Amino acid sequence: MARFIFITGGVVSSLGKGLMAASLAALLQARGYKVRIRKFDPYLNVDPGTMSPYQHGEVYVTDDGAETDLDLGHYERFTGVSARQSDNITSGRVYQNIIQRERRGDYLGATVQVIPHVTDEIKKFAVSEVDDLDFVLCEIGGTVGDIESLPFMEAIRQLRNELEPQQTLSVHVTLVPFIAAAGELKTKPTQHSVRELAALGIKPDVLLCRTEHPLPDGERRKIAQFCNVRPEAVIPALDARSIYSVPTQYHEEGLDEQVLRSFGITDAPEPDLSRWQDVEDRYFNPEGEVTIGVVGKYVGLQDAYKSLNEALVHGGLANRVKVNIEWIDAEIFEGEESDIAAQLEPLHGILVPGGFGERGSEGKIASVRFAKDRKVPFFGICLGMQMACIEAAQSAGISEASSTEFGETKEPVVGIITEWMSEEGLQQREAGGDLGGTMRLGAYDAMLDGNSHISAIYGGAKTISERHRHRYEVNAAYREPIEENGLLFSGWSPDGLLPETVERPDHPWFVGVQFHPELKSKPFDPHPLFAGFVAAALEQSRLV
Ligand code: GLN
C-alpha cells in the first residue's frame, strides 16, 4: 500500500519546499523504501513549456517528453528516480481535461463544478500509478492562502478522509523569522499559517520550520502547543551549507524519523546515508578549482539554467574540484569595442547552453570561435551545438550560414524539421504551428561513431539515450563544408537523418550535443560529459 505525504508551504514562498520534498524522499529511499515525488502547480498554464525562464526558471524535460516544473529536476537529482509526465499537474491541465470531457458530453447533462469535478481530477492524479510504491510525496506549489491552490487543498482534505487512517500525512513548511531589533525568533507567522491550513480542514502532522538561527526548545514547544503538533514533530530546518547537505541535516534533525513515527511505522530499517556523505565529502573538500564560462542569454537568473548549474557542480564532484561558474551575457561580445579575449582568456572551459531566439547568437558564435582557435575546452548544448555548426560553416566560407530560427536565410545550416521518427512512429508538425508542446521532446536514442571522442566519453557506448527539447535541427546537407572545417558529425539519430553530436578531433575537448545531458546528471552519478568537460578544464587550468 502506497502512503501519501502532502507537502504544503506557508508564510512566504521560496522556502525550498521542492528541496525539502526531494531530501525527505532521499532519506526514505536510504531506508530501502520505493518513493516517487509529484508536483501540483496551481497556475493556469497547461505546462510550463511556454513560460519564460525569467518567470518560472528552467523547464525540466522528462524521458517521456513532458515539459515540467524545475522542482522535478531536484526530485530526480536527489532520488535517481526518472520523473514522468504523470508527476506534474497544473490547474491548466486539470481544467483542460475537464473541459474536453464536458464538450464531448461525458458529464451527461450534469453541472460541472470545482467540487466534485476539479477535486476528483486532482485526486485521480495523486493516486494514479502508485501500486509498486511505498511513499508518494505530493508537493503543492504556492503558499497556503493562495486563491489558486484552494481546489488542491480541498482535494487533499478529501483524500485524507477517504484513504486509510494511517495512509496519509501532512507536512507543512513554514518560516520562523529572526527579528534583529528584538533579538528574537518569532513563531507567530507559523501559528497563523497553521491556522489557515486548519481552516481548510488540514491538520499538519509534521512542521518543518525554516530558520536562520537555532530554534530554542521553548520556541519549539510553543509552536507545538499553538499548532497542535507533537513537540518532536516540530523540526527546525536551519539554512544548509549546501543543497547537498540538506538530506543529512534534516536526518539529524529527525525529519524522516518523525515522518515514519507519524505513520505509525516503528520497524523501519536504519538509513544508509553513505551516498550523501560521499557527495558532501567531495563537495566540501575539493582538491583544486576550475572556472567555466557559460555564455548565454538568461544569465541574470540562475534558476533559468538550474540543471546545467547542478551538472557542472557534479562534474566537479567527479573530479574532486570546485567549479566556479561565470555567467556571461553573450550580447556583450556583439559591440564594435567588445574585447572577447579579455573576458574569455581567464576561463578554463567555455560552455554555450541551450536557448531560444536570435538575441546573443553572434556573441555565442564568437565564443565558439575563440574556444576553437585558442584550444580552450568547449561544450555546446542544443543551441550551443547549433552555434558550433554555424561557426564551422561560416569559417568554411559560407558567410551567410544561419538558423531559420533567426529569420529567413539563404544558408539554413540549422532549420526547422517537420517530420521525425520517435518510438511512437512518425511525428509531424507544421512550420508555423502552435508553440506549446510541439518540439522534439523527451528521450531519443543517438548512434555514436565507435571511434569518436564522444563514444569514449560514454565509456565506449555506441547507442545512448538522452533528452531533447528543440524545434530546429542541424541540416545534414551542410555536412561536407562543416566537416572540412574540422567539425565532425560523430553521432546521429537512429534513422541517420538528424545530427546528434559533433566534435573537433584536432582540439583537446570540443563537443557539441543536440540533447540536454544536464537533465540526467546526479550528484552521486555525475554525467560523463560533464565529468569529462570539467576534467579537460582542469587540464587547461594547469596550462594557463
Ligand atoms: N532554439 C533551438 C531550437 O529550438 C535550441 C533549443 C534549445 O537549446 N533547447 O532548436
Side-chain angles (χ1 to χ4, degrees), residues 354-357 381-383 386 405 439 469-473 514 516:
F356 293 84
I381 295 178
C382 205
L383 185 70
Q386 297 173 356
E405 181 176 7
M439 284 189 267
R469 180 175 187 251
H470 56 109
R471 194 167 277 118
Y472 300 84
E473 304 277 351
Q514 188 56 72
H516 289 276

Side-chain angles (χ1 to χ4, degrees), residues 167-189:
Q167 201 184 350
T168 68
L169 191 82
S170 160
V171 178
H172 191 54
V173 186
T174 75
L175 178 71
V176 179
F178 181 75
I179 305 298
E184 276 177 31
L185 286 164
K186 291 293 179 190
T187 64
K188 195 67 112 202

Side-chain angles (χ1 to χ4, degrees), residues 505-522:
D506 64 351
H507 190 287
W509 209 98
F510 190 108
V511 174
V513 295
Q514 188 56 72
F515 43 80
H516 289 276
E518 71 273 24
L519 299 175
K520 295 212 321 194
S521 187
K522 318 213 166 49

Side-chain angles (χ1 to χ4, degrees), residues 122-429:
I122 296 170
K123 287 191 290 181
K124 204 170 77 191
F125 163 74
V127 302
S128 66
E129 298 174 37
V130 298
D131 288 347
D132 58 338
L133 299 172
D134 297 309
F135 292 100
V136 184
L137 292 84
C138 300
E139 180 195 344
I140 322 299
T143 309
V144 169
D146 295 347
I147 290 177
E148 287 182 325
S149 60
L150 286 175
F152 292 94
M153 297 298 177
E154 171 60 14
I156 295 174
R157 186 192 69 75
Q158 293 178 19
L159 271 178
R160 302 244 301 155
N161 282 330
E162 289 164 19
L163 297 173
E164 296 297 316
Q166 285 205 315
Q167 201 184 350
T168 68
L169 191 82
S170 160
V171 178
H172 191 54
V173 186
T174 75
L175 178 71
V176 179
F178 181 75
I179 305 298
E184 276 177 31
L185 286 164
K186 291 293 179 190
T187 64
K188 195 67 112 202
T190 297
Q191 296 177 38
H192 279 302
S193 181
V194 170
R195 203 166 300 156
E196 188 119 24
L197 194 61
L200 301 172
I202 303 170
K203 175 193 152 348
D205 303 290
V206 175
L207 285 180
L208 191 80
C209 301
R210 291 296 313 276
T211 159
E212 287 173 13
H213 294 267
L215 195 63
D217 220 35
E219 307 304 302
R220 194 171 178 172
R221 291 190 178 282
K222 193 166 155 191
I223 294 174
Q225 202 164 39
F226 280 103
C227 299
N228 201 12
V229 175
R230 285 182 291 112
E232 316 81 68
V234 176
I235 312 281
L238 264 101
D239 291 350
R241 282 205 291 163
S242 139
I243 60 168
Y244 303 113
S245 306
V246 175
T248 50
Q249 187 176 320
Y250 284 4
H251 173 68
E252 277 155 28
E253 295 290 1
L255 177 64
D256 46 330
E257 199 185 317
Q258 291 307 322
V259 162
L260 291 166
R261 213 181 129 194
S262 301
F263 274 122
I265 299 173
T266 49
D267 57 350
E270 280 301 303
D272 173 6
L273 295 174
S274 50
R275 171 192 262 194
W276 292 102
Q277 282 149 357
D278 180 48
V279 167
E280 280 187 89
D281 178 47
R282 287 169 181 270
Y283 185 83
F284 290 114
N285 305 299
E287 289 162 9
E289 58 186 286
V290 297
T291 304
I292 307 283
V294 177
V295 184
K297 184 161 101 172
Y298 316 106
V299 291
L301 179 76
Q302 285 182 23
D303 265 3
Y305 296 115
K306 190 81 206 154
S307 295
L308 180 69
N309 183 73
E310 295 304 314
L312 282 167
V313 174
H314 304 164
L317 298 177
N319 291 283
R320 283 196 172 270
V321 293
K322 178 168 186 278
V323 177
N324 304 310
I325 306 176
E326 258 185 50
W327 302 95
I328 302 169
D329 182 351
E331 276 187 300
I332 65 169
F333 299 140
E334 296 187 348
E336 286 283 299
E337 290 139 45
S338 77
D339 187 358
I340 189 162
Q343 283 278 334
L344 299 184
E345 255 166 12
L347 303 173
H348 308 130
I350 295 171
L351 192 152
V352 177
F356 293 84
E358 185 177 16
R359 193 155 62 78
S361 57
E362 274 179 42
K364 292 174 195 174
I365 292 170
S367 310
V368 173
R369 191 161 295 149
F370 179 90
K372 174 181 97 173
D373 293 343
R374 301 290 195 95
K375 304 255 190 269
V376 179
F378 171 81
F379 193 4
I381 295 178
C382 205
L383 185 70
M385 158 165 153
Q386 297 173 356
M387 295 300 107
C389 291
I390 291 174
E391 190 286 324
Q394 287 180 353
S395 295
I398 307 173
S399 60
E400 288 184 50
S402 184
S403 165
T404 57
E405 181 176 7
F406 309 153
E408 252 179 64
T409 167
K410 278 201 302 201
E411 304 286 2
V413 168
V414 178
I416 198 152
I417 51 153
T418 51
E419 287 189 347
W420 70 94
M421 287 304 286
S422 81
E423 268 176 20
E424 285 87 47
L426 187 67
Q427 302 287 315
Q428 289 178 306
R429 71 173 159 215

Side-chain angles (χ1 to χ4, degrees), residues 40 94 117-127 151-152 155:
F40 298 61
V94 170
H117 300 102
V118 170
T119 45
D120 279 357
E121 186 74 16
I122 296 170
K123 287 191 290 181
K124 204 170 77 191
F125 163 74
V127 302
F152 292 94

Side-chain angles (χ1 to χ4, degrees), residues 440-514:
R440 183 150 85 103
L441 281 170
Y444 283 86
D445 281 352
M447 318 306 275
L448 305 180
D449 173 349
N451 298 319
S452 61
H453 181 204
I454 190 155
S455 172
I457 291 170
Y458 276 93
K462 288 197 178 142
T463 309
I464 56 167
S465 170
E466 292 283 0
R467 294 184 196 162
H468 291 246
R469 180 175 187 251
H470 56 109
R471 194 167 277 118
Y472 300 84
E473 304 277 351
V474 172
N475 186 342
Y478 287 90
R479 179 176 185 175
E480 223 181 271
I482 290 175
E483 291 205 330
E484 260 168 35
N485 185 257
L487 186 65
L488 301 192
F489 288 51
S490 49
W492 292 86
S493 58
D495 60 9
L497 295 177
L498 307 174
E500 288 275 6
T501 73
V502 293
E503 59 188 69
R504 287 190 175 273
D506 64 351
H507 190 287
W509 209 98
F510 190 108
V511 174
V513 295
Q514 188 56 72

